[in-house]
Amino acid sequence: MVEVPVTIACGNYDRTRAIRDGTVKVEGCTVTYLPLYPEEIFHRVFRFAEFDVSELSFSSYIRTVAAGTAAYIGIPAFVSRIFRHSGIYVREGAGIKKPQDLRGKRVGVPEYQITAVVWMRGMIQHEYGVLPSEIYWRSGGQEQPGREERTPLKPIAGLDLQPIGKHQTLVEMLRDGALDGSLPPGPRRRFAKASRTSRGCLPIPEPQSEPITKRPACSQSCILSASANRWPKNIRGCPPASIRRSAKPRRWPWSICAT
């Protein structure tokens, strides 16, 4: 049987490493695995739908499904789960000693809709009582200028959400005092080093501090609808099945995948 070429774009996770190194085969398919950073994957997926199978931002995917514009079909294989408590950064001298002090402050986000920010906003609201409408949100590039929302975002009543200047970055604004805090979704060591004046606002919870079933799903696996429709019927179920079989943690027992 002629094998169907399939491109899979996903981060270099322990959960999907078996597909990348060939331990788990995608039956009936020849796989090209692209270990890319999530930010690049999501941009290329939502703008150009480049990959047959892809890691995808959970929140942005839900938005496209709700809008009836989803080019991908989601499957219950969540490749990224992480606590986000340690991802809230504040500027020294901003007068923020506890999460509740974020009320009335200027907080930067790369995009308001990305999954990491959705989870952190939810924590700030439901665990610490600060509503999104009580924070002044500024969105834009974290370390490079020019970033915009990946899918259209409708105005939200009562929310102060404004883009930063085209030549500004969140890191620079935090360092210069134009922002009081920021919610970076990427490597937090790199962000702290770049901003130099920021510090983590919240402690990192111990893995055993809450049930692993509550670990937030940050990104999931999706299949391009056009690709699924052109695959032979006898192999259409194989890519997601293979991903589910491989999506098991190799090193951290608390980093589980919902399958």
Side-chain angles (χ1 to χ4, degrees), residues 92-110:
E92 293 282 6
I96 302 173
K97 303 298 183 182
K98 56 185 182 299
Q100 290 83 350
D101 294 335
L102 291 168
R103 185 177 285 109
K105 300 297 185 180
R106 302 161 298 176
V107 177
V109 293

Side-chain angles (χ1 to χ4, degrees), residues 177-200:
L179 291 176
D180 302 305
S182 185
L183 311 183
R188 290 176 283 283
R189 288 183 181 177
R190 186 180 66 186
F191 178 83
K193 181 179 180 180
S195 59
R196 291 201 303 273
T197 61
S198 63
R199 59 180 173 79

Side-chain angles (χ1 to χ4, degrees), residues 2-258:
V2 177
E3 293 191 334
V4 178
V6 174
T7 300
I8 299 177
C10 189
N12 187 21
Y13 304 118
D14 60 330
R15 306 157 185 80
T16 56
R17 195 164 298 145
I19 293 179
R20 182 183 179 187
D21 64 21
T23 302
V24 171
K25 303 294 184 182
V26 180
E27 300 165 36
C29 297
T30 300
V31 172
T32 299
Y33 189 103
L34 303 176
L36 304 174
Y37 285 107
E39 287 86 353
E40 178 181 353
I41 294 173
F42 301 161
H43 174 78
R44 293 169 66 176
V45 162
F46 285 108
R47 294 296 177 90
F48 312 112
E50 288 190 40
F51 314 113
D52 298 311
V53 181
S54 178
E55 174 183 359
L56 211 57
S57 164
F58 193 23
S59 61
S60 295
Y61 173 69
I62 291 174
R63 284 175 49 78
T64 59
V65 170
T69 60
Y72 283 77
I73 302 170
I75 60 176
F78 297 96
V79 295
S80 174
R81 288 178 179 269
I82 187 173
F83 278 122
R84 291 289 177 180
H85 294 70
S86 62
I88 301 175
Y89 277 79
V90 299
R91 177 174 50 83
E92 293 282 6
I96 302 173
K97 303 298 183 182
K98 56 185 182 299
Q100 290 83 350
D101 294 335
L102 291 168
R103 185 177 285 109
K105 300 297 185 180
R106 302 161 298 176
V107 177
V109 293
E111 297 177 48
Y112 191 76
Q113 68 178 275
I114 59 177
T115 311
V117 172
V118 170
W119 280 113
M120 286 188 274
R121 293 200 324 260
M123 291 188 311
I124 292 170
Q125 176 178 347
H126 297 291
E127 295 185 18
Y128 304 106
V130 182
L131 299 175
S133 58
E134 296 179 296
I135 294 175
Y136 301 105
W137 301 97
R138 300 295 179 262
S139 63
Q142 182 171 302
E143 297 175 47
Q144 296 180 344
R147 183 166 177 173
E148 300 176 350
E149 297 286 339
R150 61 174 66 108
T151 63
L153 190 64
K154 296 180 180 179
I156 303 172
L159 187 73
D160 189 324
L161 172 61
Q162 301 178 26
I164 62 176
K166 292 183 178 181
H167 302 291
Q168 292 179 305
T169 67
L170 300 180
V171 165
E172 291 173 349
M173 294 179 69
L174 185 64
R175 186 172 57 222
D176 297 340
L179 291 176
D180 302 305
S182 185
L183 311 183
R188 290 176 283 283
R189 288 183 181 177
R190 186 180 66 186
F191 178 83
K193 181 179 180 180
S195 59
R196 291 201 303 273
T197 61
S198 63
R199 59 180 173 79
C201 179
L202 301 179
I204 301 175
E206 294 297 325
Q208 66 270 21
S209 64
E210 59 181 272
I212 56 177
T213 54
K214 291 186 178 181
R215 284 191 174 273
C218 294
S219 57
Q220 67 179 114
S221 301
C222 293
I223 299 174
L224 184 63
S225 298
S227 297
N229 291 334
R230 73 169 182 262
W231 288 334
K233 291 183 179 180
N234 63 318
I235 69 166
R236 285 185 186 176
C238 292
S242 299
I243 291 173
R244 284 197 293 268
R245 287 200 303 270
S246 71
K248 296 179 181 179
R250 296 286 183 92
R251 291 174 294 180
W252 306 289
W254 57 86
S255 300
I256 65 168
C257 171

